[in-house]
Amino acid sequence: MYNCWDVATALALEESRALAIATSSYALAQSWGFPDGQKMTFTEFYWFISRIASHVTKPFTVDIEAGYAVELKQLEANMMQLFTLDIVGVNFEDQDLSTEVPQLWTIAKQSARIQTIKDAAKKQNKTIFLNARTDIFFQNRVVNQELMIEDLNRTTAYANAGADCIFIPGLVDKKWLAYFIHHSPLPVNVMILPGLPSSSELQNMGAKRISYGPASYFSTMNYFQQNARKS
């Protein structure tokens, strides 16, 4: 998944024969002058996504960060509005972004949040592919057996709540990736980061989705700057 952030990049993906269109929350925020982490309002976010949705014809999946809501009632309302758009999937992370230092939701609370999104989709008579992102590997913790068990417990709970895939950005160690993929009850999505095994190695391990995340944005901006310096 080579991620986009606006109408122009989404259309470029369509013309490149991409099978699906996916956004990067970091890139989308940066392109409109916001820091990453739900610093825009949901109204602003909805408008940006609606512009992309109205221009693409391929299956369109959206990075919704933490749903722009803390309370389940507001999360449901946001999702009911979002699902009026022609989208087929969402990335949904398990950090509480309303606090100064984001913390992971408890497994029980995040499971309830996942269930809320799936229920909102049902109310709209839509089938949404929910890619449950866990930020456990972005918490500056040592990757070991204990952390693997903790993450697999989260993954199992998210699967029971209705998640269709588990997204584990931050894990790049080949040994632990292979371990997690082998034991995960859900298909595994990884994100391009320095040190990550090659795409062919990841496919051989059993990874089902490889996301570029903001890497596509960084590459484009770097190319733009280099050409600007030469002009």
Side-chain angles (χ1 to χ4, degrees):
M1 303 293 290
Y2 198 78
N3 300 78
C4 69
W5 54 91
D6 58 14
V7 172
T9 50
L11 291 177
L13 283 179
E14 287 216 322
E15 293 171 6
S16 73
R17 299 183 182 179
L19 299 179
I21 309 298
T23 64
S24 159
S25 63
Y26 178 97
L28 187 147
Q30 289 288 311
S31 69
W32 287 98
F34 294 96
D36 190 29
Q38 294 188 171
K39 302 306 181 184
M40 66 182 79
T41 66
F42 178 75
T43 299
E44 290 167 325
F45 172 78
Y46 176 84
W47 188 86
F48 300 147
I49 296 302
S50 69
R51 296 302 301 160
I52 300 174
S54 67
H55 283 80
V56 297
T57 60
K58 299 289 179 65
F60 180 36
T61 181
V62 177
D63 186 339
I64 62 171
E65 299 193 72
Y68 289 80
V70 173
E71 300 300 328
L72 294 181
K73 186 175 181 180
Q74 186 60 55
L75 178 62
E76 180 184 38
N78 288 352
M79 295 303 102
M80 291 290 285
Q81 183 178 357
L82 185 67
F83 294 155
T84 62
L85 303 177
D86 189 16
I87 66 174
V88 301
V90 294
N91 278 13
F92 182 55
E93 66 185 75
D94 59 1
Q95 284 197 112
D96 179 2
L97 297 175
S98 67
T99 58
E100 185 174 345
V101 179
Q103 300 292 324
L104 296 180
W105 288 103
T106 65
I107 292 177
K109 287 184 178 180
Q110 183 64 5
S111 295
R113 289 165 64 78
I114 289 170
Q115 185 65 61
T116 296
I117 293 177
K118 297 295 277 194
D119 288 346
K122 289 179 182 178
K123 290 178 181 179
Q124 294 279 35
N125 295 315
K126 300 192 78 168
T127 300
I128 295 294
F129 186 92
L130 195 151
N131 193 27
R133 166 174 160 166
T134 177
D135 279 69
I136 198 168
F137 297 110
F138 277 157
Q139 298 291 310
N140 297 317
R141 297 167 64 183
V142 176
V143 179
N144 54 26
Q145 187 76 21
E146 181 181 352
L147 192 62
M148 285 291 113
I149 292 172
E150 182 180 344
D151 196 23
L152 286 167
N153 287 338
R154 280 187 176 269
T155 303
T156 299
Y158 296 171
N160 292 336
D164 301 290
C165 187
I166 186 70
F167 186 22
I168 51 170
L171 182 61
V172 298
D173 183 272
K174 186 174 181 178
K175 180 187 76 172
W176 290 119
L177 275 168
Y179 178 91
F180 184 86
I181 291 169
H182 178 73
H183 290 88
S184 174
L186 289 172
V188 176
N189 180 186
V190 299
M191 187 167 77
I192 296 291
L193 285 169
L196 190 73
S198 67
S199 294
S200 59
E201 288 179 294
L202 289 167
Q203 290 175 14
N204 288 336
M205 285 184 209
K208 299 301 183 183
R209 182 166 166 175
I210 303 169
S211 297
Y212 272 74
S216 53
Y217 174 80
F218 295 144
S219 176
T220 300
M221 291 300 101
N222 183 56
Y223 181 80
F224 186 91
Q225 290 172 351
Q226 288 182 356
N227 279 277
R229 292 190 186 103
K230 295 175 183 176
S231 63

